[in-house]
């Protein structure tokens, strides 16, 4: 999975504390698709966890976590996600918030049939 461009709807210079915040990032791929990813700092995750005592459902699963919101570090992290297992983790980060429950249930049912079909014979 090749990255064509990384864009920020909120420019990084507008972030007050680059060690404690999160930012949306648009990742344009060579195949023409664009993924919206949330990049957060570990301090930002920690701050939200202290409020609730745990990671909020659905939030951490979509994050790419970095030490600070610095362009080279964000690019390096996103490139690692795009490279690992042919982009699996970048795709999962993107898809975490895209599915409706019915769609997930259908996929899980299909996988259950696929992997458990031998049990029924």
């Amino acid at each position: 999975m090749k990255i064509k461009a990384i864009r920020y709807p909120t420019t990084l210079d507008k972030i007050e504390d680059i060690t404690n915040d999160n930012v949306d990032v648009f990742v344009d791929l060579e195949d023409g698709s664009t993924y919206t990813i949330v990049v957060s700092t570990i301090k930002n995750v920690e701050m939200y966890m202290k409020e609730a005592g745990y990671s909020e459902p659905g939030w951490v699963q979509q994050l790419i976590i970095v030490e600070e919101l610095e362009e080279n570090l964000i690019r390096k992290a996103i490139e690692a996600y795009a490279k690992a297992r042919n982009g699996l983790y970048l795709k999962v980060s993107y898809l975490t918030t895209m599915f409706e429950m019915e769609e997930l249930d259908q996929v899980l049912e299909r996988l259950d049939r696929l992997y458990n079909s031998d049990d029924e014979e």
Side-chain angles (χ1 to χ4, degrees):
M1 176 175 274
K2 300 256 186 196
I3 296 171
K4 181 178 174 183
I6 295 175
R7 300 176 290 120
Y8 304 90
T10 302
T11 58
L12 297 177
D13 62 339
K14 297 209 184 328
I15 297 172
E16 285 186 34
D17 183 355
I18 64 169
T19 66
N20 186 7
D21 211 332
N22 63 76
V23 65
D24 291 340
V25 179
F26 299 138
V27 181
D28 300 325
L29 303 174
E30 284 187 350
D31 69 2
S33 58
T34 298
Y35 292 174
T36 303
I37 303 296
V38 179
V39 177
S40 179
T41 64
I42 192 70
K43 282 185 181 180
N44 193 245
V45 172
E46 185 178 291
M47 179 186 75
Y48 284 109
M49 283 188 62
K50 284 183 179 178
E51 288 176 7
Y54 56 89
S55 63
E56 292 288 335
W59 187 64
V60 174
Q61 292 81 358
Q62 71 182 10
L63 297 178
I64 293 178
I65 301 172
V66 295
E67 285 190 55
E68 58 184 46
L69 297 174
E70 189 273 322
E71 192 166 357
N72 289 332
L73 186 55
I74 291 170
R75 174 172 285 284
K76 184 177 178 181
I78 291 173
E79 285 174 346
Y81 272 64
K83 182 178 179 182
R85 297 190 61 191
N86 197 31
L88 174 69
Y89 302 112
L90 185 65
K91 291 175 184 178
V92 168
S93 294
Y94 172 68
L95 290 174
T96 298
T97 60
M98 302 303 289
F99 282 110
E100 296 294 329
M101 186 57 73
E102 184 177 311
E103 293 171 301
L104 287 175
D105 287 343
Q106 290 171 358
V107 170
L108 290 171
E109 286 173 17
R110 182 175 53 86
L111 290 173
D112 185 53
R113 285 192 306 272
L114 178 69
Y115 292 112
N116 293 318
S117 64
D118 292 340
D119 295 344
E120 297 173 8
E121 293 177 7

